[in-house]
Amino acid sequence: EDQVTQSPEALRLQEGESSSLNCSYTVSGLRGLFWYRQDPGKGPEFLFTLYSAGEEKEKERLKATLTKKESFLHITAPKPEDSATYLCAVRNNYGQNFVFGPGTRLSVLP
Amino acid sequence: GAGVSQSPSNKVTEKGKDVELRCDPISGHTALYWYRQSLGQGLEFLIYFQGNSAPDKSGLPSDRFSAERTGGSVSTLTIQRTQQEDSAVYLCASSLQLERKTQYFGPGTRLLVL
């Protein structure tokens, strides 16, 4: 059974304090690993898709990396507007549904 | 362009009543997904559609839950004889195709069963 775990459950940073969020997964043939951002009361917003180990993607202060067992979302010099819940999801080679992790709740204090 | 829309945005109902939740996907998106998100929980997959057909209904929690999609566009998720444990946010997402395509989510319908 495909599984996704995320750590930490919650993270509090000072503005400008860089850190990383972890997504660990077990999947029967990875078809894609996805990162989303979710603000309170809203649906998840797509950030990145990674397909193979060693792949990296960047967007503003965010950088996502992928290995065969986990993915990291690196946040460089975060700002308060980066505060949100960050969700990780995987999709396998056999099914069409996505398996989501529980998320990391990030708070960036000014 | 317009994103995924869902209605109603909020729904309060009494235990035992039926509810219908609607999803309008992005125009041209052939794949449509329904998820449930309970308070403090991750997203739970319910069902997906490719066109009007639903090849995978394995995520539906019980036979009280059903979904349909007509014209390859609008989808309706129906919950019959609602229970308090059905209270959650129901999210819809669509993607251009199933294969390696990103899902775009709607804002969700917040369902409260009293």
Side-chain angles (χ1 to χ4, degrees):
Chain A
E1 184 180 339
D2 299 341
Q3 280 194 317
V4 178
T5 59
Q6 292 186 247
S7 61
E9 182 177 327
L11 180 62
R12 181 173 290 191
L13 300 173
Q14 290 294 134
E15 184 171 3
E17 180 186 0
S18 301
S19 188
S20 297
L21 312 182
N22 175 267
C23 169
S24 295
Y25 64 92
T26 55
V27 64
S28 305
L30 183 69
R31 185 182 271 177
L33 184 140
F34 303 79
W35 281 99
Y36 288 85
R37 168 195 171 124
Q38 186 173 25
D39 293 296
K42 296 188 176 181
E45 175 189 346
F46 169 74
L47 294 174
F48 303 109
T49 307
L50 301 167
Y51 293 107
S52 56
E55 190 175 357
E56 299 183 352
K57 295 254 178 97
E58 284 189 70
K59 179 181 179 180
E60 297 180 354
R61 295 178 293 283
L62 300 176
K63 178 180 177 180
T65 62
L66 181 66
T67 73
K68 290 186 177 180
K69 294 183 179 181
E70 57 192 351
S71 176
F72 291 94
L73 185 65
H74 307 278
I75 303 177
T76 302
K79 298 182 177 181
E81 53 262 41
D82 294 324
S83 298
T85 295
Y86 290 85
L87 300 170
C88 169
V90 298
R91 190 174 173 197
N92 65 32
N93 280 329
Y94 305 101
Q96 301 295 350
N97 60 306
F98 290 65
V99 177
F100 279 80
T104 292
R105 194 169 59 255
L106 175 67
S107 300
V108 182
L109 307 176
Chain B
V4 178
S5 61
Q6 293 186 245
S7 61
S9 54
N10 293 281
K11 177 71 176 179
V12 180
T13 191
E14 293 179 349
K15 178 182 173 181
K17 296 284 181 69
D18 297 351
V19 295
E20 281 191 355
L21 312 180
R22 177 187 168 107
C23 172
D24 278 277
I26 294 172
S27 178
H29 280 197
T30 58
L32 186 147
Y33 303 77
W34 282 99
Y35 293 88
R36 178 168 69 175
Q37 188 173 35
S38 302
L39 189 63
Q41 304 294 313
L43 273 71
E44 174 190 2
F45 167 78
L46 297 178
I47 189 171
Y48 83 90
F49 289 89
Q50 174 58 27
N52 289 335
S53 65
D56 185 356
K57 301 180 181 180
S58 62
L60 294 175
S62 75
D63 58 8
R64 296 186 295 103
F65 287 72
S66 63
E68 64 175 15
R69 189 179 185 194
T70 56
S73 182
V74 172
S75 177
T76 303
L77 177 69
T78 301
I79 309 173
Q80 296 178 309
R81 304 180 303 280
T82 52
Q83 303 294 313
Q84 289 183 331
E85 59 263 29
D86 298 334
S87 297
V89 177
Y90 290 82
L91 290 159
C92 173
S94 70
S95 65
L96 192 56
Q97 298 170 10
L98 283 175
E99 197 61 38
R100 300 188 90 183
K101 292 300 179 183
T102 302
Q103 296 176 88
Y104 294 90
F105 283 83
T109 292
R110 284 148 193 81
L111 174 66
L112 177 61
V113 182
L114 300 176

